[in-house]
Amino acid sequence: MKKVAVILSGCGVYDGSEIYESVLTLLAIEQGGASYQCMAPNIDQMHVIDHRSGDVMADQQRNVLTEAARLARGKIIDLAEAHPADYDALIIPGGFGAAKNLSNFAVAGAAAVVNPDLINFARAIQEAGKPVGLICIAPAMTPLLFGKGAICTVGNDKEIAAAIEKMGGEHQACDCSNIIVDEARKIVTTPAYMLAGSISEAASGINKLVDKVLQLS
């Protein structure tokens, strides 16, 4: 059975992993006949957001791994302790945690840096010829993870697309029901909630992404 590493960035669209995208990804992996292992970096979140009001909760601080464990029903490991050789593929769901905790793209844009444990894991996966899927805003990290010329999509957001191009990536427009595939690098991306207006719309692209990742693995 193929095993997919799923890297989470917390729990909640505004300061962690997008919950629907994460659950849809895990469901699609199982329905595709594979298994998964959730993992996350053991670091503090950039900040905590009140998901009712959208306000920053300045008096709170949460841990990315601890929060991501909510999504994984406790079955999660520290990204720093994960071994790329144990997995056939990698998928990173979206949510602002990808741009706030896995990287600082949300505040730094094209000058962003990525968590070093994520860099090491993702590059080891790719260098072994294994596929990587990135969802929603997570593809903004593509050129930082996989180098100049890497092809990806976040949908049709011109500002984010311009930042990806500035970082050396190649952005291609895409709707939420489709995927963009960098065949040479085995990178699969889909916009999901960058464009989706409902969970079913997000699922349409995520299911295709997971199917393609499993096909390439």
Side-chain angles (χ1 to χ4, degrees):
M1 178 183 289
K2 295 175 181 177
K3 190 171 186 179
V4 181
V6 178
I7 296 180
L8 302 175
S9 58
C11 182
V13 58
Y14 299 126
D15 58 11
S17 287
E18 211 294 323
I19 294 172
Y20 292 173
E21 291 177 357
S22 301
V23 173
L24 288 167
T25 297
L26 301 181
L27 177 61
I29 290 170
E30 279 203 354
Q31 290 180 332
S35 66
Y36 58 80
Q37 173 63 60
C38 293
M39 55 191 71
N42 187 9
I43 57 175
D44 287 339
Q45 292 183 186
M46 173 183 159
H47 57 203
V48 179
I49 298 292
D50 182 332
H51 279 63
R52 291 184 300 165
S53 66
D55 296 332
V56 175
M57 303 173 71
D59 61 336
Q60 291 199 27
Q61 183 60 64
R62 299 183 186 179
N63 177 277
V64 172
L65 179 58
T66 299
E67 290 301 295
R70 296 175 181 271
L71 276 171
R73 296 176 60 85
K75 297 179 180 179
I76 195 165
I77 61 175
D78 186 339
L79 175 58
E81 299 175 359
H83 302 290
D86 294 340
Y87 304 95
D88 300 290
L90 165 64
I91 299 178
I92 307 176
F96 280 105
K100 293 178 176 180
N101 304 327
L102 299 184
S103 72
N104 64 346
F105 181 81
V107 294
V113 295
V114 176
N115 175 277
D117 291 326
L118 172 56
I119 290 175
N120 292 338
F121 190 93
R123 289 182 180 171
I125 288 285
Q126 192 207 33
E127 288 167 4
K130 301 171 184 178
V132 179
L134 303 103
I135 298 167
C136 190
I137 189 62
M141 299 184 290
T142 301
L144 301 178
L145 291 171
F146 306 118
K148 292 185 177 181
I151 301 167
C152 65
T153 189
V154 292
N156 58 15
D157 188 300
K158 293 182 180 179
E159 184 176 349
I160 297 176
I164 289 170
E165 298 275 349
K166 189 173 182 179
M167 291 186 288
E170 180 182 326
H171 184 269
Q172 294 183 5
C174 179
D175 63 54
C176 65
S177 65
N178 286 305
I179 59 175
I180 294 295
V181 183
D182 184 330
E183 296 284 358
R185 296 173 177 82
K186 293 187 178 180
I187 301 168
V188 188
T189 54
T190 192
Y193 272 105
M194 291 296 291
L195 291 175
S198 67
I199 189 171
S200 58
E201 287 184 1
S204 61
I206 290 172
N207 289 338
K208 289 178 181 178
L209 178 141
V210 172
D211 286 348
K212 185 65 175 180
V213 166
L214 294 179
Q215 177 188 330
L216 292 171
S217 64

